[in-house]
Amino acid sequence: MSSHGTLRPMTSRKCGPLSGEARVPGDKSISHRSLILGALSVGETHVTGLLEGGDVLDTAKAMRAFGADVERVGDGEWRIHGVGVGGFAEPEDVIDCGNAGTGVRLIMGAMATTDITATFTGDASLRSRPMGRVTDPLALFGTQSHGRSGGRLPLTIVGAANPVPVRYATPMPSAQVKSAVLLAGLNAPGETVVIEQEATRDHTERMLAGFGAEITTEITDEGRVITLKGQPELTGQTIVVPRDPSSAAFPVVAALLVEGSDILVPNIGLNPTRAGLFTTLTEMGADITFENPHSEGGEPVADLRVRFGPLKGITVPPERAPSMIDEYPILAVLAATASGKTVMKGIKEMRVKECDRIDAMARGLEACGVKIEETEDSLTIYGMGKIPGGATCVTHLDHRIAMSFMCLGMITEKPVKIDDAAAIETSFPDFVPLMERLGASFQKNNQ
Ligand code: S3P
């Protein structure tokens, strides 16, 4: 739903081959972290390529509310003068994180060990999401939290005045939980340790090291043991944000869907903890080449050249889920056109994203005539030659569901409509014009 509460429906129609270059926006995870770590540093942080989507802009506002000086100096170019670890001021008003689970969870961690109180809220999607997964470990530092039933927003955090360091094994594979604990550990004395069974995205660890923290990761029998030495002095950095692999997924998959397509998607971040989709696509037989590989801001980056070709269904193993957790919705669309069936296992974390993404994809694909099977933590899609389409898919304030069904409509017999395109703004504000430039046929509908 748009910020004014009115729905913005949109239709996607069958189109000809896609061609050209898709310059997708900056990485959302790295953009949030650039602002938060910049705010916790001393001196100036200079960021280029920042994603200027709703989620990240809400984090920028929040960092101002905690006392940092955050300034936009050009297109995607931002300057932050931080307050230093432990220097957050108490916000004067409620912090509204909009649609952003990453924003709210990381910020709660970043303020949890400072002697201040802050109240957080968000849109209807964010207010329905579980926060106990973050407030439970924060309580171990001495932080208090008071939220609605089920630990949901609006929620007030009373930061620990005398925090103690924490040793915490994350009960689910979640970079947001890991990062919230590490950010809280910054202002606790001694060593904070997070242990994860499966590797989740490691941008927080890489960036903390870049800002000057002492942080190590060891692979042991217990899992990945991440140790952070508390109360470092973080110093401002220059950050070049790579383009977001999770946003690249949409034009990449669209080119694999539409016969005859051949596109280039330049400068995409290919951190191994994020690149599971590209492994999966290659296993399905996709023609993707990784050109000009290099490193930017401590992250591996390459240009992706993608050409249409026949694909086969595969079983995506559960251990790959953390490295492509946001990409299953668009993979489900592609699987509908691959030969045979595609089985996605170990994906129950999808149920607690901006919406229950297994359910949203299952219902929308079924409505478009695709055969699916769903369990609590898996989704199976039966590929077919021609997909009927002709349905209105419900997007539940979820950007990735909205973009996935817009891509599906590019190859269905009848157009696919989505009930609301507004959420796309949160992560990929240029999605519609960028896809139209490649050759997509999208149309805004009046309600
Ligand atoms: C993110 C982590 C993931 C992902 C989200 C961004 C991050 O969530 O779904 O879009 O930047 O840390 P979880 O850590 O909860 O899996």
Side-chain angles (χ1 to χ4, degrees), residues 28-29 33 102 133 173-176 201 325-326 353:
K28 182 150 76 72
S29 295
R33 287 160 172 81
T102 306
R133 54 176 52 203
S174 168
Q176 293 177 357
R201 65 192 68 197
I325 193 64
D326 291 336
K353 296 297 174 187

Side-chain angles (χ1 to χ4, degrees), residues 8 11 43 82 100 113 117 136 163-164 180 188 196 240 252 293 297 311 315 319 346 356 367 430-431 441-442:
R8 289 202 240 144
T11 300
T113 47
T117 295
D136 288 352
V164 290
E196 57 178 7
V240 181
V252 165
L311 299 181
T315 295
E319 61 275 12
D356 177 341
D430 277 347
F431 172 76
S441 173
F442 292 168

Side-chain angles (χ1 to χ4, degrees), residues 34-36 38-39 43-52 56-57 59-65 67-82:
S34 300
L35 292 167
I36 296 170
E44 181 175 297
T45 289
H46 182 241
V47 190
T48 50
L50 190 94
L51 163 64
E52 293 177 329
V56 175
L57 297 179
T59 290
K61 264 194 239 154
M63 291 303 97
R64 286 191 190 112
D69 184 4
V70 182
E71 190 193 358
R72 180 179 193 268
V73 288
D75 249 7
E77 185 181 352
W78 290 64
R79 265 195 217 123
I80 304 129
H81 286 101

Side-chain angles (χ1 to χ4, degrees), residues 27-30 32-33 101-103 105-106 129 133 172-179 200-201 203-204 246 274 322 325-326 349 352-354 357 399-400:
D27 190 283
K28 182 150 76 72
S29 295
I30 297 176
H32 281 298
R33 287 160 172 81
T102 306
R105 290 182 175 133
L106 268 54
R129 297 180 67 182
R133 54 176 52 203
M172 71 289 285
S174 168
Q176 293 177 357
V177 173
K178 168 178 69 177
S179 303
T200 63
R201 65 192 68 197
H203 307 300
T204 302
S246 300
R274 294 287 298 282
I325 193 64
D326 291 336
E349 276 294 298
V352 289
K353 296 297 174 187
E354 283 79 337
R357 286 181 172 164
H399 52 134
R400 300 202 200 279

Side-chain angles (χ1 to χ4, degrees), residues 383-395:
M384 59 200 292
K386 286 189 174 172
I387 302 174
T392 298
C393 299
V394 184
T395 57

Side-chain angles (χ1 to χ4, degrees), residues 33 35 62 75 106 131 159 239 250 281 313 326 331 363 389 392 434:
R33 287 160 172 81
L35 292 167
D75 249 7
L106 268 54
M131 294 299 146
I239 299 173
F250 297 99
L281 296 178
D326 291 336
L331 177 65
R363 301 293 78 77
T392 298
L434 179 146

Side-chain angles (χ1 to χ4, degrees), residues 100 184 255 279 301 412 436:
T279 309
V301 168
T412 48
E436 285 175 338

